[in-house]
Amino acid sequence: VKKLPRLKRFLLSFFFYNMGVQTVMLVAALYGKSELEIPTENLIIAILIIQLIAIPGAFAISRLSSRLGNFKTLMVLVVLWIFLCVAAYFLPKGGIYEFYALGAAVGFIMGGIQSLSRSTHAKLIPEGTKDTVSFFSFYDVTEKIAAVVGIFSFGYITELTGSQINSVLALAIFFILGLLGLLYANAAKEKAP
């Protein structure tokens, strides 16, 4: 990995935007319940919406990446994540239908960004490499550490400020850092996937 600057830069950017993705996956229902006061039965519906919308979203994002390329599509998705964090910040308390709409948007891009990140990482592995397991172990460790740091940051900011709303804005910062990292990785001199 040290000898592959583009892969190294991609993993760094993946670390930051994946902090946001993993944290959203883990705390969305908690945010809806405790901060937005959404009833439990509506949270269950929102989770189902996210799961069902993720399927067509993954197909649509796959088509988009075949047109734009992996890096540009990832950049578009990360920008969308930033807007979703800002939208979540402004959701009204008890806004069930707004929460459903946000859940549908999250579901649409969630599955796609995860599969596209994995395939981008695979494309950055040099052709003919026999030990792909080692390369994917870096990816998996990056993903797991990002989840831990993301959820820790969310909880820490919530504890400091007394509100999860501020933590939602911190997620937007993770996505901005991830976007900057993708721009940096895309500028590397290795061949683009």
PDB file of all heavy atoms in Angstrom, residues 31-32 36 38 42-43 46 49-50 84 87-106:
ATOM      1  N   TYR A  31     -31.477   8.799  16.571  1.00  0.00           N
ATOM      2  CA  TYR A  31     -31.693  10.230  16.282  1.00  0.00           C
ATOM      3  C   TYR A  31     -33.182  10.504  16.072  1.00  0.00           C
ATOM      4  O   TYR A  31     -33.727  11.464  16.623  1.00  0.00           O
ATOM      5  CB  TYR A  31     -30.876  10.635  15.049  1.00  0.00           C
ATOM      6  CG  TYR A  31     -31.031  12.079  14.658  1.00  0.00           C
ATOM      7  CD1 TYR A  31     -30.476  13.092  15.431  1.00  0.00           C
ATOM      8  CD2 TYR A  31     -31.731  12.445  13.513  1.00  0.00           C
ATOM      9  CE1 TYR A  31     -30.611  14.423  15.070  1.00  0.00           C
ATOM     10  CE2 TYR A  31     -31.870  13.769  13.158  1.00  0.00           C
ATOM     11  CZ  TYR A  31     -31.302  14.756  13.933  1.00  0.00           C
ATOM     12  OH  TYR A  31     -31.440  16.089  13.585  1.00  0.00           O
ATOM     13  N   GLY A  32     -33.841   9.648  15.301  1.00  0.00           N
ATOM     14  CA  GLY A  32     -35.265   9.819  15.065  1.00  0.00           C
ATOM     15  C   GLY A  32     -36.078   9.713  16.345  1.00  0.00           C
ATOM     16  O   GLY A  32     -37.017  10.475  16.566  1.00  0.00           O
ATOM     17  N   LEU A  36     -35.886  13.679  17.314  1.00  0.00           N
ATOM     18  CA  LEU A  36     -37.027  14.106  16.501  1.00  0.00           C
ATOM     19  C   LEU A  36     -38.365  13.628  17.057  1.00  0.00           C
ATOM     20  O   LEU A  36     -39.416  13.981  16.523  1.00  0.00           O
ATOM     21  CB  LEU A  36     -36.859  13.630  15.055  1.00  0.00           C
ATOM     22  CG  LEU A  36     -35.609  14.120  14.344  1.00  0.00           C
ATOM     23  CD1 LEU A  36     -35.527  13.526  12.941  1.00  0.00           C
ATOM     24  CD2 LEU A  36     -35.562  15.640  14.289  1.00  0.00           C
ATOM     25  N   ILE A  38     -39.834  10.710  16.903  1.00  0.00           N
ATOM     26  CA  ILE A  38     -40.592   9.887  15.962  1.00  0.00           C
ATOM     27  C   ILE A  38     -41.026   8.624  16.711  1.00  0.00           C
ATOM     28  O   ILE A  38     -40.188   7.972  17.344  1.00  0.00           O
ATOM     29  CB  ILE A  38     -39.738   9.506  14.728  1.00  0.00           C
ATOM     30  CG1 ILE A  38     -39.140  10.751  14.062  1.00  0.00           C
ATOM     31  CG2 ILE A  38     -40.511   8.650  13.745  1.00  0.00           C
ATOM     32  CD1 ILE A  38     -40.100  11.639  13.348  1.00  0.00           C
ATOM     33  N   ASN A  42     -43.156   4.195  13.473  1.00  0.00           N
ATOM     34  CA  ASN A  42     -42.745   4.956  12.295  1.00  0.00           C
ATOM     35  C   ASN A  42     -41.256   4.791  12.003  1.00  0.00           C
ATOM     36  O   ASN A  42     -40.835   4.835  10.843  1.00  0.00           O
ATOM     37  CB  ASN A  42     -43.092   6.428  12.471  1.00  0.00           C
ATOM     38  CG  ASN A  42     -44.583   6.650  12.600  1.00  0.00           C
ATOM     39  OD1 ASN A  42     -45.071   6.915  13.676  1.00  0.00           O
ATOM     40  ND2 ASN A  42     -45.302   6.504  11.502  1.00  0.00           N
ATOM     41  N   LEU A  43     -40.463   4.581  13.043  1.00  0.00           N
ATOM     42  CA  LEU A  43     -39.038   4.302  12.834  1.00  0.00           C
ATOM     43  C   LEU A  43     -38.854   2.971  12.118  1.00  0.00           C
ATOM     44  O   LEU A  43     -37.996   2.839  11.235  1.00  0.00           O
ATOM     45  CB  LEU A  43     -38.292   4.278  14.170  1.00  0.00           C
ATOM     46  CG  LEU A  43     -38.145   5.616  14.884  1.00  0.00           C
ATOM     47  CD1 LEU A  43     -37.553   5.407  16.267  1.00  0.00           C
ATOM     48  CD2 LEU A  43     -37.296   6.561  14.069  1.00  0.00           C
ATOM     49  N   ALA A  46     -39.560   3.543   8.550  1.00  0.00           N
ATOM     50  CA  ALA A  46     -38.439   4.255   7.927  1.00  0.00           C
ATOM     51  C   ALA A  46     -37.284   3.307   7.628  1.00  0.00           C
ATOM     52  O   ALA A  46     -36.662   3.393   6.555  1.00  0.00           O
ATOM     53  CB  ALA A  46     -37.967   5.400   8.833  1.00  0.00           C
ATOM     54  N   ILE A  49     -38.179   1.343   4.606  1.00  0.00           N
ATOM     55  CA  ILE A  49     -38.039   2.194   3.417  1.00  0.00           C
ATOM     56  C   ILE A  49     -36.578   2.253   2.990  1.00  0.00           C
ATOM     57  O   ILE A  49     -36.254   2.094   1.808  1.00  0.00           O
ATOM     58  CB  ILE A  49     -38.599   3.608   3.684  1.00  0.00           C
ATOM     59  CG1 ILE A  49     -40.123   3.567   3.794  1.00  0.00           C
ATOM     60  CG2 ILE A  49     -38.160   4.587   2.592  1.00  0.00           C
ATOM     61  CD1 ILE A  49     -40.747   4.872   4.299  1.00  0.00           C
ATOM     62  N   ILE A  50     -35.695   2.467   3.955  1.00  0.00           N
ATOM     63  CA  ILE A  50     -34.256   2.541   3.646  1.00  0.00           C
ATOM     64  C   ILE A  50     -33.793   1.257   2.966  1.00  0.00           C
ATOM     65  O   ILE A  50     -33.088   1.299   1.954  1.00  0.00           O
ATOM     66  CB  ILE A  50     -33.444   2.812   4.933  1.00  0.00           C
ATOM     67  CG1 ILE A  50     -33.692   4.235   5.430  1.00  0.00           C
ATOM     68  CG2 ILE A  50     -31.958   2.569   4.706  1.00  0.00           C
ATOM     69  CD1 ILE A  50     -33.140   4.518   6.813  1.00  0.00           C
ATOM     70  N   LEU A  84     -27.648  15.679   2.799  1.00  0.00           N
ATOM     71  CA  LEU A  84     -28.545  14.924   3.675  1.00  0.00           C
ATOM     72  C   LEU A  84     -28.282  15.228   5.149  1.00  0.00           C
ATOM     73  O   LEU A  84     -29.220  15.288   5.952  1.00  0.00           O
ATOM     74  CB  LEU A  84     -28.421  13.425   3.404  1.00  0.00           C
ATOM     75  CG  LEU A  84     -28.968  12.948   2.058  1.00  0.00           C
ATOM     76  CD1 LEU A  84     -28.720  11.458   1.879  1.00  0.00           C
ATOM     77  CD2 LEU A  84     -30.440  13.270   1.923  1.00  0.00           C
ATOM     78  N   ALA A  87     -29.882  18.504   5.753  1.00  0.00           N
ATOM     79  CA  ALA A  87     -31.334  18.310   5.807  1.00  0.00           C
ATOM     80  C   ALA A  87     -31.751  17.691   7.136  1.00  0.00           C
ATOM     81  O   ALA A  87     -32.760  18.098   7.729  1.00  0.00           O
ATOM     82  CB  ALA A  87     -31.793  17.431   4.637  1.00  0.00           C
ATOM     83  N   ALA A  88     -30.982  16.723   7.627  1.00  0.00           N
ATOM     84  CA  ALA A  88     -31.297  16.091   8.913  1.00  0.00           C
ATOM     85  C   ALA A  88     -31.211  17.095  10.052  1.00  0.00           C
ATOM     86  O   ALA A  88     -31.975  17.016  11.016  1.00  0.00           O
ATOM     87  CB  ALA A  88     -30.347  14.916   9.166  1.00  0.00           C
ATOM     88  N   TYR A  89     -30.308  18.032   9.937  1.00  0.00           N
ATOM     89  CA  TYR A  89     -30.163  19.077  10.954  1.00  0.00           C
ATOM     90  C   TYR A  89     -31.439  19.913  11.060  1.00  0.00           C
ATOM     91  O   TYR A  89     -31.825  20.338  12.153  1.00  0.00           O
ATOM     92  CB  TYR A  89     -28.960  19.961  10.595  1.00  0.00           C
ATOM     93  CG  TYR A  89     -28.707  21.078  11.571  1.00  0.00           C
ATOM     94  CD1 TYR A  89     -28.028  20.840  12.754  1.00  0.00           C
ATOM     95  CD2 TYR A  89     -29.141  22.372  11.308  1.00  0.00           C
ATOM     96  CE1 TYR A  89     -27.784  21.862  13.664  1.00  0.00           C
ATOM     97  CE2 TYR A  89     -28.901  23.407  12.206  1.00  0.00           C
ATOM     98  CZ  TYR A  89     -28.228  23.146  13.379  1.00  0.00           C
ATOM     99  OH  TYR A  89     -27.992  24.157  14.272  1.00  0.00           O
ATOM    100  N   PHE A  90     -32.098  20.146   9.927  1.00  0.00           N
ATOM    101  CA  PHE A  90     -33.271  21.014   9.897  1.00  0.00           C
ATOM    102  C   PHE A  90     -34.605  20.269   9.983  1.00  0.00           C
ATOM    103  O   PHE A  90     -35.658  20.889   9.871  1.00  0.00           O
ATOM    104  CB  PHE A  90     -33.246  21.884   8.636  1.00  0.00           C
ATOM    105  CG  PHE A  90     -32.183  22.941   8.686  1.00  0.00           C
ATOM    106  CD1 PHE A  90     -31.045  22.825   7.896  1.00  0.00           C
ATOM    107  CD2 PHE A  90     -32.307  24.035   9.530  1.00  0.00           C
ATOM    108  CE1 PHE A  90     -30.064  23.799   7.943  1.00  0.00           C
ATOM    109  CE2 PHE A  90     -31.321  25.003   9.578  1.00  0.00           C
ATOM    110  CZ  PHE A  90     -30.196  24.896   8.785  1.00  0.00           C
ATOM    111  N   LEU A  91     -34.572  18.942  10.159  1.00  0.00           N
ATOM    112  CA  LEU A  91     -35.836  18.209  10.275  1.00  0.00           C
ATOM    113  C   LEU A  91     -36.615  18.670  11.511  1.00  0.00           C
ATOM    114  O   LEU A  91     -36.031  18.829  12.575  1.00  0.00           O
ATOM    115  CB  LEU A  91     -35.585  16.707  10.390  1.00  0.00           C
ATOM    116  CG  LEU A  91     -35.242  15.946   9.115  1.00  0.00           C
ATOM    117  CD1 LEU A  91     -35.049  14.467   9.427  1.00  0.00           C
ATOM    118  CD2 LEU A  91     -36.309  16.112   8.060  1.00  0.00           C
ATOM    119  N   PRO A  92     -37.923  18.861  11.365  1.00  0.00           N
ATOM    120  CA  PRO A  92     -38.712  19.293  12.520  1.00  0.00           C
ATOM    121  C   PRO A  92     -39.002  18.133  13.468  1.00  0.00           C
ATOM    122  O   PRO A  92     -39.085  16.979  13.048  1.00  0.00           O
ATOM    123  CB  PRO A  92     -40.019  19.793  11.875  1.00  0.00           C
ATOM    124  CG  PRO A  92     -40.143  19.000  10.614  1.00  0.00           C
ATOM    125  CD  PRO A  92     -38.720  18.774  10.135  1.00  0.00           C
ATOM    126  N   LYS A  93     -39.158  18.452  14.737  1.00  0.00           N
ATOM    127  CA  LYS A  93     -39.556  17.426  15.713  1.00  0.00           C
ATOM    128  C   LYS A  93     -40.917  16.879  15.312  1.00  0.00           C
ATOM    129  O   LYS A  93     -41.809  17.631  14.947  1.00  0.00           O
ATOM    130  CB  LYS A  93     -39.629  18.013  17.112  1.00  0.00           C
ATOM    131  CG  LYS A  93     -38.286  18.199  17.754  1.00  0.00           C
ATOM    132  CD  LYS A  93     -38.449  18.577  19.221  1.00  0.00           C
ATOM    133  CE  LYS A  93     -37.141  18.933  19.840  1.00  0.00           C
ATOM    134  NZ  LYS A  93     -36.372  17.835  20.313  1.00  0.00           N
ATOM    135  N   GLY A  94     -41.035  15.558  15.351  1.00  0.00           N
ATOM    136  CA  GLY A  94     -42.299  14.915  14.991  1.00  0.00           C
ATOM    137  C   GLY A  94     -42.579  14.895  13.502  1.00  0.00           C
ATOM    138  O   GLY A  94     -43.663  14.501  13.087  1.00  0.00           O
ATOM    139  N   GLY A  95     -41.624  15.284  12.686  1.00  0.00           N
ATOM    140  CA  GLY A  95     -41.814  15.318  11.229  1.00  0.00           C
ATOM    141  C   GLY A  95     -41.658  13.923  10.628  1.00  0.00           C
ATOM    142  O   GLY A  95     -40.615  13.611  10.032  1.00  0.00           O
ATOM    143  N   ILE A  96     -42.697  13.130  10.759  1.00  0.00           N
ATOM    144  CA  ILE A  96     -42.635  11.733  10.322  1.00  0.00           C
ATOM    145  C   ILE A  96     -42.393  11.632   8.822  1.00  0.00           C
ATOM    146  O   ILE A  96     -41.518  10.884   8.361  1.00  0.00           O
ATOM    147  CB  ILE A  96     -43.925  10.981  10.736  1.00  0.00           C
ATOM    148  CG1 ILE A  96     -43.996  10.892  12.260  1.00  0.00           C
ATOM    149  CG2 ILE A  96     -43.978   9.597  10.116  1.00  0.00           C
ATOM    150  CD1 ILE A  96     -45.336  10.415  12.792  1.00  0.00           C
ATOM    151  N   TYR A  97     -43.145  12.387   8.031  1.00  0.00           N
ATOM    152  CA  TYR A  97     -43.019  12.265   6.581  1.00  0.00           C
ATOM    153  C   TYR A  97     -41.697  12.832   6.084  1.00  0.00           C
ATOM    154  O   TYR A  97     -41.113  12.315   5.129  1.00  0.00           O
ATOM    155  CB  TYR A  97     -44.216  12.927   5.892  1.00  0.00           C
ATOM    156  CG  TYR A  97     -45.498  12.196   6.218  1.00  0.00           C
ATOM    157  CD1 TYR A  97     -46.450  12.769   7.052  1.00  0.00           C
ATOM    158  CD2 TYR A  97     -45.718  10.905   5.737  1.00  0.00           C
ATOM    159  CE1 TYR A  97     -47.608  12.079   7.383  1.00  0.00           C
ATOM    160  CE2 TYR A  97     -46.871  10.214   6.060  1.00  0.00           C
ATOM    161  CZ  TYR A  97     -47.812  10.801   6.886  1.00  0.00           C
ATOM    162  OH  TYR A  97     -48.952  10.114   7.216  1.00  0.00           O
ATOM    163  N   GLU A  98     -41.214  13.858   6.747  1.00  0.00           N
ATOM    164  CA  GLU A  98     -39.888  14.384   6.396  1.00  0.00           C
ATOM    165  C   GLU A  98     -38.806  13.347   6.717  1.00  0.00           C
ATOM    166  O   GLU A  98     -37.848  13.184   5.960  1.00  0.00           O
ATOM    167  CB  GLU A  98     -39.611  15.685   7.161  1.00  0.00           C
ATOM    168  CG  GLU A  98     -40.484  16.844   6.768  1.00  0.00           C
ATOM    169  CD  GLU A  98     -41.776  16.943   7.586  1.00  0.00           C
ATOM    170  OE1 GLU A  98     -42.182  15.933   8.218  1.00  0.00           O
ATOM    171  OE2 GLU A  98     -42.375  18.032   7.579  1.00  0.00           O
ATOM    172  N   PHE A  99     -38.999  12.643   7.840  1.00  0.00           N
ATOM    173  CA  PHE A  99     -38.057  11.591   8.215  1.00  0.00           C
ATOM    174  C   PHE A  99     -38.106  10.441   7.208  1.00  0.00           C
ATOM    175  O   PHE A  99     -37.072   9.889   6.850  1.00  0.00           O
ATOM    176  CB  PHE A  99     -38.370  11.092   9.630  1.00  0.00           C
ATOM    177  CG  PHE A  99     -37.298  10.212  10.214  1.00  0.00           C
ATOM    178  CD1 PHE A  99     -36.084  10.737  10.609  1.00  0.00           C
ATOM    179  CD2 PHE A  99     -37.504   8.841  10.381  1.00  0.00           C
ATOM    180  CE1 PHE A  99     -35.091   9.938  11.160  1.00  0.00           C
ATOM    181  CE2 PHE A  99     -36.522   8.037  10.930  1.00  0.00           C
ATOM    182  CZ  PHE A  99     -35.314   8.589  11.319  1.00  0.00           C
ATOM    183  N   TYR A 100     -39.299  10.096   6.730  1.00  0.00           N
ATOM    184  CA  TYR A 100     -39.437   9.073   5.688  1.00  0.00           C
ATOM    185  C   TYR A 100     -38.693   9.494   4.414  1.00  0.00           C
ATOM    186  O   TYR A 100     -37.999   8.691   3.796  1.00  0.00           O
ATOM    187  CB  TYR A 100     -40.901   8.831   5.334  1.00  0.00           C
ATOM    188  CG  TYR A 100     -41.717   8.071   6.344  1.00  0.00           C
ATOM    189  CD1 TYR A 100     -43.111   8.063   6.249  1.00  0.00           C
ATOM    190  CD2 TYR A 100     -41.144   7.373   7.397  1.00  0.00           C
ATOM    191  CE1 TYR A 100     -43.895   7.373   7.160  1.00  0.00           C
ATOM    192  CE2 TYR A 100     -41.919   6.679   8.319  1.00  0.00           C
ATOM    193  CZ  TYR A 100     -43.292   6.684   8.195  1.00  0.00           C
ATOM    194  OH  TYR A 100     -44.065   6.006   9.090  1.00  0.00           O
ATOM    195  N   ALA A 101     -38.875  10.753   4.016  1.00  0.00           N
ATOM    196  CA  ALA A 101     -38.212  11.253   2.804  1.00  0.00           C
ATOM    197  C   ALA A 101     -36.695  11.213   2.955  1.00  0.00           C
ATOM    198  O   ALA A 101     -35.974  10.801   2.038  1.00  0.00           O
ATOM    199  CB  ALA A 101     -38.684  12.679   2.500  1.00  0.00           C
ATOM    200  N   LEU A 102     -36.223  11.627   4.121  1.00  0.00           N
ATOM    201  CA  LEU A 102     -34.780  11.572   4.381  1.00  0.00           C
ATOM    202  C   LEU A 102     -34.291  10.128   4.364  1.00  0.00           C
ATOM    203  O   LEU A 102     -33.242   9.817   3.790  1.00  0.00           O
ATOM    204  CB  LEU A 102     -34.453  12.232   5.716  1.00  0.00           C
ATOM    205  CG  LEU A 102     -32.971  12.324   6.064  1.00  0.00           C
ATOM    206  CD1 LEU A 102     -32.259  13.287   5.120  1.00  0.00           C
ATOM    207  CD2 LEU A 102     -32.789  12.769   7.505  1.00  0.00           C
ATOM    208  N   GLY A 103     -35.072   9.220   4.966  1.00  0.00           N
ATOM    209  CA  GLY A 103     -34.717   7.804   4.959  1.00  0.00           C
ATOM    210  C   GLY A 103     -34.655   7.229   3.553  1.00  0.00           C
ATOM    211  O   GLY A 103     -33.764   6.448   3.227  1.00  0.00           O
ATOM    212  N   ALA A 104     -35.597   7.633   2.697  1.00  0.00           N
ATOM    213  CA  ALA A 104     -35.586   7.163   1.311  1.00  0.00           C
ATOM    214  C   ALA A 104     -34.331   7.649   0.591  1.00  0.00           C
ATOM    215  O   ALA A 104     -33.687   6.890  -0.143  1.00  0.00           O
ATOM    216  CB  ALA A 104     -36.846   7.634   0.584  1.00  0.00           C
ATOM    217  N   ALA A 105     -33.962   8.913   0.809  1.00  0.00           N
ATOM    218  CA  ALA A 105     -32.754   9.446   0.172  1.00  0.00           C
ATOM    219  C   ALA A 105     -31.500   8.746   0.694  1.00  0.00           C
ATOM    220  O   ALA A 105     -30.600   8.401  -0.085  1.00  0.00           O
ATOM    221  CB  ALA A 105     -32.665  10.953   0.410  1.00  0.00           C
ATOM    222  N   VAL A 106     -31.451   8.515   1.998  1.00  0.00           N
ATOM    223  CA  VAL A 106     -30.312   7.808   2.590  1.00  0.00           C
ATOM    224  C   VAL A 106     -30.225   6.398   2.024  1.00  0.00           C
ATOM    225  O   VAL A 106     -29.159   5.927   1.631  1.00  0.00           O
ATOM    226  CB  VAL A 106     -30.418   7.779   4.132  1.00  0.00           C
ATOM    227  CG1 VAL A 106     -29.491   6.735   4.731  1.00  0.00           C
ATOM    228  CG2 VAL A 106     -30.107   9.142   4.708  1.00  0.00           C
TER     229      VAL A 106
END
